[in-house]
């Protein structure tokens, strides 16, 4: 076989090499020959850490503002990865640029909730000041792109800012400033977002959100003074079996959208013959309209650390990965600070409280891909691969992260673990209703007076949840509610009294999903909203399987035709076409993204929200 | 791929379209169907590659499963009840074929693809007229396609991604299933996903070693011998006039079987049988492309 040397070997800049080395470890060349050989041997014995690919790509992006051929080549060589494969991974993620970008790049959310908060006006302003999205030459100071939901729906229109050489962060449009003043503030890191607003109603139990905004999130002492780490103490006293029984008796189900019983998942891994297991906390919250996990991570991070500690101990995992979406650097910092403090005080590391149990929690960042919230795509992202879902079976509890038995729990699920142990299973069940135990977090946004996070007992009627978020604006009427996000369903005003109980909602063909409640009144341009959802799936499909990769494209084309009043053939033909798309995507897609990507559009078509008459007054 | 020595796999009984069949444990649903005499259409499956189950044309209905399952990769379990010809199966297959045919040029794919399109009643034209070129935003009423000019950047083979259904076979053959060269990968995401070298550099600047194993596994003619491509461009490609001569590669002692496709007394392409015990259909640059000396009879060179 002939050895082919590439004709061009692009050079990495010193800044790029430093960024990669900071993640991967320093290069071991350049020392005295004998020492180098010895070190080389050491280096070669060390397993190549492909799982460092995504962290190193993010480091390159931050250091240089893009993934240059030279930087990527250096990184690929350091990880002993084929360059084409590294490129395939880099090109998968929305926050990694493969062309030079200006030093400040704004990702402007024009998704469903922010559209009702003035995102289109902000985009028009930016077009006027900066030119069309994605068009800024490298030489300009600020560039901008349109972005899917950024999880800042109660603070919209939301912006995520990438800055050269610095961590990214959220920003909030300030209509009181001129566009130029605001851009100046953004570029210098002055325009930062607020925390997620928590909307409360006196008298309602709030085991998940009670501490948020009331105690400093970075203080372990404050957390302990407010009930923190009592659950871990109780768990250690109960023993692993006891905790499993308690979680099962509490009927805790996953809060990520699928609603799977948590105890069953834990038990499958706890009983695995394989000694190496993992707990993965899914904080890749990207379902449009969802911001609950961000609120928990930013506002009460120790609760997540404590919940993850209990879960890991029960299932016998000694390493926890928390995969935080890339657009949430504040949440990542908050969580990492909590982990460091917990470690310093013996809650992690060699012991968990008095129990000798080695446990580490590692935080990983996403890089802009909705699909990585799918559990098997998330594994691939952590492993340094393209975030493509895997076929199931085998299921994660058998063959998960790095091929080991793995429990994946959503952040909110993990937050419920200490609650169950603190209250006891019976009291926890009593918090909810027949349809489910405990409370649920609802992310209420859209055309309400006080958008924010609402914690209510499961089974609370929709209209009450919306009322806690300030209710509709005076004089306006309800037109539709998007429940469960882009993967969810639209419901009409007739659902106003519906109990937000998974069983009741499912019986009506809808879903609670990740707790999204986006409210639209009679002024909303719902056709534009539905079009945005169709575009969302076209852009966020991983592209692996045919039904989703092409079905999402054809769905967007169909919605655009109906919106323009130019159907292909009759309206009935278009509806039949969509029914076929729904069926192939639901039946034959690899993962949950494809299987649900036509739901919202189907419900919108059924409610007459697309095309003629969909625009509000 | 089942190349290892299996230690007397236990038999497993499943039901395919009402017929009980017994297959060894570890078999796939597709293999069980074959045993029952039911042929399943496949696009991204090939005997000598690891199943990636991405095309979804091989889906079947499995009782107790909410979604349909890919028969190419799903392993049998005792008592499985499988249906291969239900309305759900037919709709999904029809839609997969229709979605592909509406966005990809399938004119150089194997003849079975056209037969499936007809058999399942696919109507690719119902998505509107085909966009003439791959673009982020086709005009209203147009159906997005992957149409693009072929990449002709070397003397041995051509990459025409307007014919690419993204079956991952070439990536597998270039990588862990055969060649371990890793010159190409899937890049981009969603409809923009495509097969690419790093930063889309031309093949001569990539790690490609021109083994042509990607060409050998491509089901749609997206990867094509330059000799075939040139004949097709000239309107002279004519399989009816071709003969296929099996022979053994003359270059080394491995003994790979070559199939020389000859038209008008010239070798126009070289393939190798998938069931070959040594090479499983994969070749190296010499066996695949090193045939010019045979036909270089012109003393002027």
């Amino acid at each position: 076989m002939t050895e082919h040397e590439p004709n061009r070997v692009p050079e990495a800049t010193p800044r790029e090499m430093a960024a990669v080395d900071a993640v991967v470890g320093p290069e071991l060349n350049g020392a005295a020959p004998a020492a180098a050989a010895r070190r080389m041997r050491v280096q070669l014995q060390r397993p190549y850490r492909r799982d460092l690919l995504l962290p190193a790509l993010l480091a390159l992006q931050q250091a240089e503002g893009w993934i240059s051929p030279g930087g990527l080549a250096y990184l690929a060589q350091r990880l002993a990865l084929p360059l084409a494969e590294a490129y395939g991974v880099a090109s998968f993620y929305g926050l990694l640029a493969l062309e030079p970008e200006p030093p400040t790049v704004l990702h402007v959310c024009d998704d469903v909730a922010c559209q009702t908060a003035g995102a289109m006006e902000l985009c028009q302003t930016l077009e006027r000041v900066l030119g069309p999205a994605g068009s800024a030459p490298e030489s300009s100071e600020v560039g901008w792109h349109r972005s899917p939901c950024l999880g800042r729906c109660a603070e919209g229109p939301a912006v995520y800012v990438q800055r050269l050489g610095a961590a990214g962060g959220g920003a909030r449009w300030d209509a009181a400033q001129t566009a130029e003043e605001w851009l100046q503030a953004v570029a210098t890191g002055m325009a930062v977002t607020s925390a997620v607003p928590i909307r409360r109603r006196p008298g309602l139990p709030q085991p998940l959100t009670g501490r948020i905004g009331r105690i400093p999130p970075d203080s372990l002492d404050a957390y302990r003074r407010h009930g923190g780490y009592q659950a871990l103490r109780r768990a250690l006293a109960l023993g692993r079996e006891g905790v499993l029984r308690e979680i099962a008796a509490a009927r805790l189900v996953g809060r990520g959208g699928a609603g799977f019983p948590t105890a069953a998942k834990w038990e499958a891994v706890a009983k695995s013959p394989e000694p190496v297991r993992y707990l993965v906390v899914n904080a890749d919250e990207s379902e449009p309209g969802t911001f609950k996990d961000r609120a928990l991570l930013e506002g009460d991070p120790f609760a997540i650390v404590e919940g993850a500690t209990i879960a890991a101990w029960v299932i016998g995992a000694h390493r926890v990965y928390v995969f935080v979406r890339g657009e949430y650097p504040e949440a990542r910092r908050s969580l990492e600070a909590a982990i460091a403090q917990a470690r310093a005080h013996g809650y992690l590391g060699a012991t968990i409280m008095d129990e000798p149990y080695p446990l580490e929690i590692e935080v990983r960042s996403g890089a802009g891909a909705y699909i990585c919230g799918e559990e098997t795509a998330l594994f691939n992202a952590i492993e340094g691969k393209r975030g493509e879902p895997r076929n199931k079976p085998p299921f994660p509890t058998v063959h998960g992260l790095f091929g080991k038995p793995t429990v994946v729990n959503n952040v909110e699920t993990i937050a419920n673990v200490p609650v169950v142990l603190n209250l006891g299973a019976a009291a926890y069940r009593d918090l909810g209703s027949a349809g489910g135990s405990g409370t649920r977090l609802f992310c209420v946004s859209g055309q309400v007076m006080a958008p924010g996070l609402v914690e209510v007992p499961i089974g609370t009627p929709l209209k009450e949840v919306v009322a806690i978020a300030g209710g509709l604006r005076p004089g306006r009427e309800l037109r539709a509610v998007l429940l469960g996000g882009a993967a969810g369903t639209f419901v009409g005003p007739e659902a106003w009294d519906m109990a937000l109980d998974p069983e009741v909602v499912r019986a009506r063909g809808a879903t609670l999903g990740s707790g999204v409640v986006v409210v639209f009144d009679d002024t909303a341009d719902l056709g534009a909203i539905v079009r945005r959802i169709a575009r969302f799936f076209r852009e966020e499909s991983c592209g692996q399987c045919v039904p989703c990769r092409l079905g999402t494209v054809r769905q967007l084309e169909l919605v655009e035709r109906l919106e323009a009043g130019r159907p292909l053939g009759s309206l009935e033909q278009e509806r039949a076409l969509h029914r076929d798309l729904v069926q192939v995507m639901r039946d034959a897609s690899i993962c949950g993204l494809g299987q649900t990507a036509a739901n919202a559009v189907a419900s919108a078509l059924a409610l007459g929200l697309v095309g003629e008459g969909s625009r509000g007054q | 791929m089942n190349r290892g020595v299996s230690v007397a796999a236990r038999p497993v009984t499943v039901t395919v379209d009402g017929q009980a069949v017994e297959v060894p444990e570890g078999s796939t649903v597709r293999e069980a169907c074959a045993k029952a005499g039911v042929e399943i259409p496949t696009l991204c499956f090939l005997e000598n590659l690891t199943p990636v189950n991405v095309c979804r044309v091989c889906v079947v209905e499995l009782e107790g499963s909410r979604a349909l399952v890919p028969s190419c990769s799903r392993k049998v379990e005792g008592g499985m009840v499988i249906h291969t010809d239900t309305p759900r199966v037919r709709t999904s297959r029809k839609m997969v074929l229709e979605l592909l045919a509406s966005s990809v040029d399938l004119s150089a794919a194997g003849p079975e693809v056209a037969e499936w399109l007809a058999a399942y009643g696919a109507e690719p034209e119902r998505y509107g007229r085909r966009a003439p070129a791959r673009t982020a935003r086709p005009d209203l009423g147009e159906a997005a396609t992957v149409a693009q000019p072929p990449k002709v950047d070397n003397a041995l083979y051509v990459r025409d991604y307007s014919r690419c259904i993204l079956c991952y076979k070439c990536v597998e053959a270039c990588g862990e299933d055969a060649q371990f060269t890793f010159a190409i990968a899937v890049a981009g995401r969603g409809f923009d996903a495509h097969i690419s070298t790093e930063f889309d550099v031309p093949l001569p600047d990539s790690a490609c070693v021109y083994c042509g194993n990607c060409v050998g596994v491509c089901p749609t003619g997206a990867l094509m011998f330059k000799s075939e491509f040139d004949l097709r461009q000239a309107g002279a490609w004519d399989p009816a006039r071709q003969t296929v001569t099996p022979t053994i590669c003359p270059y080394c002692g491995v003994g790979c079987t070559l199939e020389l496709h000859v038209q008008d007394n010239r070798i126009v392409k070289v393939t190798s049988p998938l069931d070959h015990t040594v090479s499983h259909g994969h070749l190296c640059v010499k066996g695949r492309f090193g045939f010019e000396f045979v036909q270089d009879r012109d003393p002027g060179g």
Side-chain angles (χ1 to χ4, degrees):
Chain A
M1 196 191 314
T2 49
E3 284 293 312
H4 180 93
E5 284 300 318
N7 297 344
R8 297 178 308 157
V9 181
E11 291 276 330
T13 65
R15 215 162 42 188
E16 287 171 329
M17 292 168 74
V20 169
D21 290 348
V23 176
V24 179
E27 175 114 77
L28 298 174
N29 293 338
R38 209 164 44 237
R39 285 174 168 188
M40 218 32 211
R41 212 159 41 235
V42 171
Q43 186 192 24
L44 290 175
Q45 281 164 2
R46 194 178 61 195
Y48 286 110
R49 295 280 308 275
R50 182 170 183 160
D51 67 294
L52 295 177
L53 180 58
L54 197 50
L57 284 169
L58 285 164
L60 277 176
Q61 173 71 37
Q62 185 170 320
E64 207 65 28
W66 68 302
I67 310 296
S68 76
L72 189 68
Y74 180 70
L75 169 56
Q77 174 237 317
R78 293 299 322 282
L79 292 178
L81 261 183
L83 191 46
E85 218 167 297
Y87 177 76
V89 174
S91 62
F92 190 83
Y93 295 98
L95 292 181
L96 303 175
L98 292 168
E99 280 165 13
E101 290 259 21
T104 301
V105 177
L106 313 182
H107 297 265
V108 180
C109 175
D110 65 351
D111 217 321
V112 287
C114 281
Q115 277 201 21
T116 68
M120 300 332 256
E121 292 74 13
L122 173 56
C123 287
Q124 281 160 14
T125 302
L126 292 176
E127 251 168 34
R128 180 171 53 75
V129 179
L130 300 174
S135 71
E138 190 188 354
S139 57
S140 50
E141 278 302 306
V142 184
W144 75 290
H145 299 278
R146 289 169 191 269
S147 168
C149 179
L150 292 166
R152 298 164 198 270
C153 320
E155 306 139 78
V159 178
Y160 174 71
V161 189
Q162 283 179 305
R163 293 184 194 87
L164 183 64
R172 190 179 190 180
W173 169 243
D174 181 0
Q177 291 180 310
T178 68
E180 287 77 7
E181 286 168 350
W182 180 76
L183 285 171
Q184 185 63 35
V186 167
T188 53
M190 299 295 284
V192 290
T193 39
S194 46
V196 175
I198 311 291
R199 306 300 178 190
R200 305 178 197 274
R201 170 173 289 175
L204 278 185
Q206 296 181 319
L208 300 176
T209 56
R211 279 183 294 260
I212 298 180
R214 291 171 171 159
I215 69 165
D218 55 358
S219 166
L220 176 59
D221 282 341
Y223 179 67
R224 279 189 299 213
R225 278 200 304 277
H226 289 80
Y229 278 110
Q230 287 170 13
L232 178 58
R233 191 171 297 284
R234 174 135 197 266
L236 295 173
L238 281 171
R240 292 187 171 88
E241 287 292 327
V243 175
L244 272 175
R245 271 198 301 275
E246 200 71 10
I247 298 289
R251 293 203 280 270
L252 175 62
V253 300
R255 302 295 204 246
F260 194 78
T262 304
K265 230 187 230 184
W266 287 16
E267 193 162 8
V269 172
K271 295 195 167 149
S272 167
E274 167 65 50
V276 177
R277 307 112 185 241
Y278 294 105
L279 170 69
V280 171
V281 181
N282 188 345
D284 194 43
E285 174 173 78
S286 311
E287 187 62 53
T290 317
F291 46 84
K292 65 191 179 69
D293 298 342
R294 185 181 138 236
L296 294 170
L297 290 166
E298 288 181 13
D300 199 13
F302 284 104
I304 307 306
V305 174
E306 185 182 0
T309 303
I310 296 168
W313 175 73
V314 169
I315 66 169
H318 293 281
R319 180 165 285 267
V320 179
Y321 288 90
V322 186
F323 191 83
V324 182
R325 84 175 282 197
E327 295 86 344
Y328 284 2
E330 300 92 343
R332 178 181 175 136
R333 276 197 294 277
S334 162
L335 182 63
E336 283 189 321
I339 292 168
Q341 279 193 60
R343 212 172 179 286
H345 288 85
Y347 291 97
L348 288 173
T351 61
I352 50 173
M353 294 183 109
D354 312 326
E355 175 97 353
Y357 186 82
L359 180 62
E360 298 295 344
I361 302 182
E362 185 172 341
V363 185
R364 291 295 182 97
S365 283
Y370 168 73
I371 184 58
C372 290
E374 198 281 341
E375 55 191 7
T376 58
L378 195 161
F379 299 153
N380 281 345
I382 292 179
E383 292 179 16
K385 300 169 185 162
R386 292 164 57 80
E388 293 173 352
R390 305 173 184 171
N391 214 52
K392 292 188 265 193
F395 291 97
T397 49
V398 177
H399 189 96
L401 183 63
F402 303 117
K404 302 297 182 189
T406 305
V407 165
V408 185
N409 280 148
N410 174 259
V411 169
E412 184 186 344
T413 314
I414 287 293
N416 270 284
V417 170
V419 177
V420 169
L421 290 165
N422 284 331
L423 293 177
Y428 181 81
R429 276 201 313 272
D430 289 346
L431 277 180
S433 62
S437 307
T439 59
R440 270 208 69 153
L441 300 178
F442 288 101
C443 311
V444 188
S445 64
Q447 292 169 307
V448 292
M449 294 296 286
L453 191 65
V454 173
E455 179 177 9
V456 288
I458 288 182
T460 304
L462 173 59
K463 70 175 176 195
E464 269 189 60
V465 170
V466 174
I468 298 173
L472 294 171
R473 299 179 296 173
R476 302 269 54 116
E477 280 178 27
L478 180 71
R479 183 74 199 290
V481 176
L482 178 62
L483 280 185
T489 34
F490 286 95
V491 294
E494 73 287 348
W496 203 221
D497 294 315
M498 178 173 71
L500 294 181
D501 162 325
E503 300 301 324
V504 174
V505 173
R506 193 173 306 131
R508 297 180 70 135
T511 169
L512 293 182
S514 54
V516 172
V517 177
V518 189
V519 179
F520 302 98
D521 66 25
D522 50 355
T523 66
D525 183 353
L526 277 154
I529 300 289
V530 176
R531 207 162 60 226
R532 183 65 183 89
I533 290 174
R535 181 156 67 86
F536 175 82
F537 284 113
R538 184 216 176 282
E539 290 170 358
E540 296 299 331
S541 164
C542 82
Q544 192 183 193
C545 71
V546 171
C548 178
R549 177 177 81 239
L550 298 175
T552 55
V553 171
R554 297 296 179 239
Q555 171 170 268
L556 174 60
E557 290 168 356
L558 185 149
V559 170
E560 287 184 334
R561 291 195 297 269
L562 294 182
E563 266 295 282
R566 287 174 51 192
L568 279 173
S570 68
L571 271 178
E572 186 39 46
Q573 275 172 302
E574 292 280 36
R575 284 172 182 275
L577 182 57
H578 195 259
R579 279 196 296 273
D580 280 353
L581 288 171
V582 170
Q583 202 178 333
V584 69
M585 289 164 84
R586 193 175 286 166
D587 266 353
S589 295
I590 291 179
C591 80
L593 186 156
Q595 287 164 9
T596 56
N599 287 357
V601 173
S603 66
L605 288 173
L607 288 170
L609 303 179
V610 186
E612 206 174 327
S614 72
R615 258 157 298 285
Q617 297 146 21
Chain B
M1 224 176 348
N2 234 337
R3 279 185 212 160
V5 181
S6 58
V7 185
R10 287 190 304 129
V12 171
T13 304
V14 300
T15 308
V16 177
D17 295 339
Q19 182 188 346
V21 288
E22 201 179 86
V23 288
E25 188 177 33
S27 304
T28 62
V29 169
R30 190 192 65 86
E31 287 163 338
C33 292
K35 181 116 189 251
V38 177
E39 201 185 320
I40 306 279
T42 61
L43 286 167
C44 70
F45 172 82
L46 202 63
E47 283 81 353
N48 62 355
L49 301 173
T50 312
V52 287
N53 56 70
V54 297
C55 79
R56 317 303 280 188
V57 79
C58 75
V59 288
V60 297
E61 201 166 330
L62 170 65
E63 285 190 11
S65 169
R66 189 173 42 86
L68 303 178
V69 303
S71 60
C72 68
S73 63
R74 183 62 179 264
K75 297 272 194 284
V76 290
E77 292 157 42
M80 272 184 171
V81 181
I82 297 151
H83 303 280
T84 69
D85 197 28
T86 64
R88 282 174 72 197
V89 168
R90 292 189 65 82
T91 299
S92 274
R93 289 189 188 162
K94 174 188 110 140
M95 289 301 289
V96 163
L97 293 162
E98 192 174 284
L99 289 168
L100 285 172
S102 68
S103 58
V104 183
D105 176 359
L106 294 177
S107 60
E112 68 282 1
V113 174
E115 286 164 23
W116 296 332
L117 280 163
Y120 287 97
E123 308 164 72
E125 56 293 338
R126 67 171 167 153
Y127 300 96
R129 56 175 193 282
R130 299 164 66 96
R134 170 172 215 141
T135 157
R137 308 290 309 207
D139 290 345
L140 190 72
E142 265 184 1
T145 66
V146 295
Q148 57 195 293
K151 291 178 192 288
V152 187
D153 58 12
N154 68 86
L156 300 181
Y157 71 98
V158 173
R159 296 175 291 155
D160 182 356
Y161 290 125
S162 63
R163 301 180 189 278
C164 176
I165 59 167
L166 222 62
C167 69
Y168 288 58
K169 281 178 180 170
C170 56
V171 177
E172 292 199 288
C174 188
E176 286 179 7
D177 275 344
Q179 192 61 30
F180 283 88
T181 288
F182 302 97
I184 47 172
V186 179
R189 190 169 78 196
F191 186 66
D192 306 315
H194 59 286
I195 308 294
S196 183
T197 59
E198 63 275 9
F199 291 94
D200 200 23
V201 299
L203 279 183
D205 289 345
S206 78
C208 178
V209 297
Y210 302 95
C211 64
N213 287 329
C214 55
V215 182
V217 297
C218 179
T220 58
L223 302 173
M224 195 179 272
F225 275 70
K226 180 75 162 44
S227 44
E228 176 177 347
F229 179 81
D230 288 343
L231 284 169
R232 280 177 182 267
Q233 293 288 97
W237 178 255
D238 187 1
R241 275 195 287 148
Q242 292 171 11
T243 57
V244 179
T245 307
T247 182
I248 302 294
C249 181
Y251 282 100
C252 79
V254 170
C256 298
T257 299
L258 304 182
E259 295 165 329
L260 306 178
H261 298 243
V262 176
Q263 178 177 328
D264 303 335
N265 210 28
R266 290 185 72 83
I267 300 169
V268 291
K269 75 174 175 184
V270 175
T271 55
S272 182
L274 296 185
D275 56 0
H276 189 263
T277 49
V278 175
S279 61
H280 301 279
H282 301 304
L283 297 171
C284 76
V285 60
K286 290 175 281 186
R288 182 84 62 184
F289 293 111
F291 52 77
E292 278 302 314
F293 74 94
V294 176
Q295 45 206 25
D296 191 9
R297 300 235 172 110
D298 178 0

